[in-house]
Amino acid sequence: QLQASGGGLVQPGRSLRLSCRISGFTLNYNAIAWFRQAPGREREGVSCISGASTGVSSTDYAESVKGRFVISRDSAANRAYLQMNTVKPEDAGIYYCATVKQEYGDTWCGLSPREYRHWGQGTQVTVSS
């Protein structure tokens, strides 16, 4: 199960941290991603982090959030995070976390919703002054 939290109202230019509690998986063997969906728009990939079964992992970000958002994983706490900095109005939407089991040694991740099998409920992010 995945449960996203941490959404809320944030002013433009400020920061917000989303959290995803993941149970039933060994996080080091899972790719984890954050997606968002704004009203009337398709769900889009925001960021992902690959499994870390060999101690090495990689991350990827949508161009629109590169340099502002940071994804991380705390396997001991069974959580993933999305640190959102310098938030913009276009960052508003419902944010979802998702995960998929990877093979040993996989160090890639993707930003397509089709690549992820397990999803949490969303958490709403509203950006307004």
Side-chain angles (χ1 to χ4, degrees), residues 23-67:
S23 58
F25 298 98
T26 302
L27 290 196
N28 277 345
Y29 284 81
N30 277 53
I32 303 164
W34 287 94
F35 294 84
R36 68 186 179 194
Q37 189 165 19
R41 302 190 64 177
E42 292 186 355
R43 190 170 298 188
E44 63 171 340
V46 175
S47 182
C48 66
I49 185 168
S50 74
S53 55
T54 61
V56 177
S57 66
S58 65
T59 59
D60 198 8
Y61 297 89
E63 285 296 325
S64 60
V65 306
K66 278 183 180 178

Side-chain angles (χ1 to χ4, degrees), residues 1-5 19-23 77-80 97:
Q1 287 187 335
L2 291 83
Q3 186 170 6
S5 61
S19 176
C20 179
R21 183 167 62 88
I22 304 172
S23 58
N78 290 327
R79 287 185 180 270
C97 55

Side-chain angles (χ1 to χ4, degrees), residues 71-92:
I71 189 171
S72 62
R73 170 182 46 227
D74 184 340
S75 296
N78 290 327
R79 287 185 180 270
Y81 303 96
L82 183 69
Q83 178 67 42
M84 305 168 59
N85 300 318
T86 318
V87 173
K88 301 178 180 180
E90 52 264 41
D91 293 325

